[in-house]
Amino acid sequence: MEKIFNNTEVAFSLKSDTELERAYFLFKLIESQPLVRIGTAVTNFALKAHLPVEGLIRSTVFDHFCGGVNEKDCLSVVDKMFTKGVSSVLDYSVEGKEEEDQFDAALAMTLKTIEFAKERLAIPFAVFKPTGLGRFALYQKIGEGKSFTDEEKAEWNRVVARFDTVCKMAYDKDVAVLIDGEESWMQDAADDLVMEMMRKYNKEKAIVFNTLQMYRWDRMEYLRKLNAIAKAEDFYIGMKLVRGAYMEKENARAEEKGYKSPICPSKQATDENYDTAVTYMLDHIDHMAIFAGTHNENSSYQLMELMAERNIAKNDSRIFFGQLYGMSDNISYNLAANGYNVAKYLPFGPVRDVMPYLIRRAEENTSVAGQTSRELDLIKKERARRKL
């Protein structure tokens, strides 16, 4: 397999010299764990104290990792990326809400992004988080097998109704919808609800996609069980595969509460788990569709090789590669240049509300060995190429 991910001219073709320098500056900062911790604390304090820092945040970290403050704000980025064959997934990245009106607002925004996707070839997916449409505590209570009060039952019925409203519109508009994965202690309830949506709306093809976080050692077993159910009941499986974004939190909670951590014992075990899931889905691609969300070059090459071995076309609509906006452009743009389906997650929302997402991105980059140094090496290589 030709090694295509070192081509920085293609990777950074949309970045001006100024944007390239900003990326270099940001990843140099993210490389330092102490600076990330200090920067996170200072930013949180400044926002809580209502200090005028939103302009600074917007012009630096926000504009690098986000598409804009609203969905229309993102369109110039969407159109620009699509000139290079890279699609977008508009991701309303407002987290941690607890009120019914906030869930209804998130529902309305998700429906709006489905409308956007229907109108634009450049936006092949919509996306939402389970906790964007209902309280975390409700999912957790179901996962723990606890009974609801009458009030909670009514509240959960509203959550189910929001899910159904999104998935029905996605089905009616023929727009696939990705449902993100979250913490393990709420995920069982989300998995069951998403499976109900698959039963209902994935009869002809995969419209509803769940997410498997493959740093969890139990996810292959879950995928096999889901496949058996889907075959028996005749529906398609849509799945986004990722490694996962809550590792520290998962391990800390397991230690605190005295249960076995759901996280694989090593990075190698996680990588093997991810690659096993990719192979399994390619082996069952006749009734599955895969969104391979990865910043790992080896996993991307493996999927490319599996497609070639099975004579699957590079642009087969059942297979998408996905990365986050602002990261791994060397994977995204080189894949697109070689004819593969690629989509970037493009977060958007008010600067203040998107900060939890941005902080998680910074912490994740700091904790993933080699990710930030790889980004920096590629940026340095492109800077040197442009100087020549």
Side-chain angles (χ1 to χ4, degrees):
M1 178 63 64
E2 181 190 357
K3 301 301 180 187
I4 63 173
F5 298 142
N6 293 319
N7 188 328
T8 61
E9 184 175 4
V10 170
F12 300 115
S13 56
L14 292 181
K15 277 193 170 24
S16 66
D17 290 347
T18 302
E19 289 168 332
L20 194 67
E21 290 304 313
R22 180 183 66 190
Y24 179 74
F25 168 74
L26 285 172
F27 282 109
K28 282 294 284 184
L29 284 179
I30 291 170
E31 193 177 32
S32 167
Q33 284 190 1
L35 281 178
V36 169
R37 283 197 295 270
I38 292 166
T40 295
V42 169
T43 301
N44 280 331
F45 171 78
L47 289 171
K48 284 174 184 171
H50 297 282
L51 299 177
V53 295
E54 289 189 22
L56 176 61
I57 294 168
R58 170 103 208 232
S59 63
T60 52
V61 64
F62 184 92
D63 278 354
H64 182 83
F65 290 109
C66 299
V69 296
N70 57 52
E71 70 283 2
K72 290 181 181 174
D73 213 11
C74 295
L75 289 182
S76 61
V77 179
V78 170
D79 292 341
K80 191 176 174 184
M81 288 200 296
F82 202 56
T83 64
K84 301 295 182 182
V86 175
S87 302
S88 298
V89 182
L90 294 186
D91 181 13
Y92 184 54
S93 295
V94 174
E95 302 181 358
K97 302 303 183 184
E98 289 283 316
E99 305 298 328
E100 290 291 292
D101 60 338
Q102 294 169 329
F103 299 136
D104 288 335
L107 169 63
M109 182 58 73
T110 305
L111 297 177
K112 192 181 286 190
T113 61
I114 293 173
E115 293 280 6
F116 259 58
K118 179 62 179 174
E119 295 166 6
R120 291 169 177 82
L121 191 61
I123 309 175
F125 296 91
V127 65
F128 69 91
K129 288 170 72 78
T131 54
L133 301 186
R135 282 194 304 123
F136 186 102
L138 290 177
Y139 295 95
Q140 181 175 347
K141 204 165 185 181
I142 291 174
E144 292 172 347
K146 294 178 180 174
S147 299
F148 279 159
T149 63
D150 288 344
E151 189 176 323
E152 287 171 333
K153 279 180 191 170
E155 187 182 353
W156 179 251
N157 287 338
R158 291 194 293 274
V159 177
V160 174
R162 291 186 191 106
F163 265 71
D164 193 67
T165 299
V166 170
C167 294
K168 184 179 188 305
M169 179 183 266
Y171 175 81
D172 290 343
K173 301 284 185 182
D174 195 24
V175 172
V177 60
L178 305 167
I179 302 172
D180 283 343
E182 300 189 60
E183 290 90 341
S184 62
W185 56 98
M186 63 74 64
Q187 192 61 45
D188 287 349
D191 287 342
D192 289 346
L193 185 47
V194 177
M195 184 167 68
E196 285 304 311
M197 297 298 112
M198 286 187 190
R199 279 190 173 109
K200 198 168 180 179
Y201 297 110
N202 285 9
K203 285 295 187 183
E204 292 126 32
K205 64 177 182 179
I207 288 286
V208 178
F209 283 63
N210 201 358
T211 297
L212 290 185
Q213 300 184 95
M214 299 310 299
Y215 65 2
R216 285 181 56 178
W217 49 261
D218 65 344
R219 294 293 81 186
M220 269 310 304
E221 181 185 3
Y222 170 79
L223 180 57
R224 291 187 181 100
K225 285 180 178 176
L226 178 63
N227 188 29
I229 294 169
K231 281 185 173 179
E233 300 183 18
D234 194 26
F235 64 86
Y236 288 79
I237 292 172
M239 201 62 74
K240 181 178 72 162
L241 297 180
V242 298
R243 278 168 169 78
Y246 305 93
M247 185 171 68
E248 286 82 4
K249 191 189 288 189
E250 292 278 4
N251 284 330
R253 186 177 190 270
E255 186 174 350
E256 177 194 338
K257 295 191 174 292
Y259 61 83
K260 181 181 178 181
S261 172
I263 304 301
C264 291
S266 66
K267 172 72 165 59
Q268 182 182 345
T270 296
D271 290 342
E272 289 171 358
N273 209 31
Y274 184 95
D275 293 340
T276 298
V278 169
T279 303
Y280 183 84
M281 290 196 71
L282 265 286
D283 287 342
H284 298 89
I285 198 65
D286 59 318
H287 60 279
M288 291 189 183
I290 178 173
F291 186 98
T294 182
H295 295 252
N296 186 290
E297 294 176 21
N298 290 333
S299 290
S300 300
Y301 283 129
Q302 187 213 23
L303 178 49
M304 293 159 68
E305 288 169 358
L306 289 170
M307 291 173 71
E309 287 169 7
R310 289 157 172 75
N311 295 313
I312 299 172
K314 290 179 178 180
N315 64 347
D316 189 299
S317 61
R318 297 167 297 181
I319 302 172
F320 260 81
F321 293 79
Q323 289 79 42
L324 298 168
Y325 183 68
M327 293 170 60
S328 298
D329 287 346
N330 66 310
I331 297 177
S332 307
Y333 288 95
N334 281 298
L335 280 170
N338 281 272
Y340 294 92
N341 295 324
V342 187
K344 285 276 204 188
Y345 255 59
L346 190 59
F348 72 95
V351 174
R352 182 177 297 275
D353 290 337
V354 173
M355 281 313 299
Y357 167 85
L358 290 173
I359 288 166
R360 202 167 73 244
R361 283 286 76 77
E363 290 172 345
E364 189 178 295
N365 269 281
T366 305
S367 65
V368 175
Q371 177 67 44
T372 301
S373 60
R374 176 61 170 157
E375 297 277 1
L376 279 169
D377 286 345
L378 291 162
I379 293 168
K380 288 175 187 173
K381 182 180 174 185
E382 178 61 8
R383 288 163 94 210
R385 189 196 68 81
R386 291 186 185 188
K387 283 175 185 172
L388 287 173

